[in-house]
Amino acid sequence: AVVSTQSTGTAFSSDLVFFLVFGVIAGVCVGGSLSIAYTYWAEVSSQAHRAAGVVVITMFWNTGMTLSNGLAYLVLNRVGWRLYTIMMSFPALAAYCILFFLPESPKYLNRDGEDPTKLIKALRLNFALECCSFKD
C-alpha cells in the first residue's frame, strides 16, 4: 500500500523535491518488499524447493521490470508521465490485496506465541504443498 501511495504521490507532486521524496520512498519500499518475499518463501517452503522458489520470484521481478520499461516506451509519450506513474502503482496495489490471503508462516506463529491451532493449520498447509504440488 505504501508503494502504491508513494507512486501516486509522484504523479501529483508539484515540484522536483516532492517528486524525488515520493520516488525514493517508493523505491525503498519496493526493495524491502522483495526481501520480504524471499524470506516468506524461505519460511514456508521445504529445503528441496527453496532454491527453485527464489529463482521464480527473481524471474517475476525481472519480467516485471522489463514489462515496465516496455510499457513506458509505448505509453509515456501518449498519456504523459503522471498517468504512467499512477498506472505503475496498480501492480503494487494488487500485490497488497493478495497479502491478505497468504497464511502466516509457521515460524512467525511459533515465535509469536499465537494459538497452537493456527500453527498446526499452517504446518498442515505447508505439508500439503510440499507433498502434493511438486513432483520430484
Side-chain angles (χ1 to χ4, degrees):
V2 174
V3 174
S4 182
T5 304
Q6 299 306 317
S7 296
T8 305
T10 59
F12 295 109
S13 59
S14 58
D15 61 359
L16 182 63
V17 173
F18 283 118
F19 180 81
L20 292 175
V21 167
F22 285 130
V24 167
I25 292 171
V28 168
C29 291
V30 166
S33 66
L34 184 62
S35 63
I36 290 170
Y38 288 140
T39 305
Y40 181 79
W41 178 254
E43 288 183 5
V44 299
S45 64
S46 67
Q47 188 174 2
H49 302 111
R50 196 169 296 144
V54 170
V55 169
V56 169
I57 292 170
T58 305
M59 183 183 68
F60 278 114
W61 175 261
N62 291 332
T63 302
M65 294 302 292
T66 303
L67 290 175
S68 171
N69 291 333
L71 186 65
Y73 178 76
L74 295 174
V75 171
L76 207 53
N77 288 331
R78 293 187 183 115
V79 299
W81 66 271
R82 292 182 189 268
L83 187 58
Y84 174 73
T85 56
I86 292 172
M87 289 170 52
M88 289 292 98
S89 69
F90 293 148
L93 190 60
Y96 176 72
C97 292
I98 290 171
L99 287 177
F100 289 106
F101 299 102
L102 293 176
E104 293 287 349
S105 71
K107 186 174 183 179
Y108 173 78
L109 290 174
N110 189 31
R111 181 198 67 135
D112 197 38
E114 287 282 333
D115 183 20
T117 56
K118 287 184 181 180
L119 178 61
I120 292 169
K121 193 179 203 181
L123 289 171
R124 283 184 184 155
L125 176 66
N126 286 358
F127 180 75
L129 289 173
E130 189 175 319
C131 293
C132 301
S133 64
F134 294 103
K135 301 290 183 192
D136 288 331

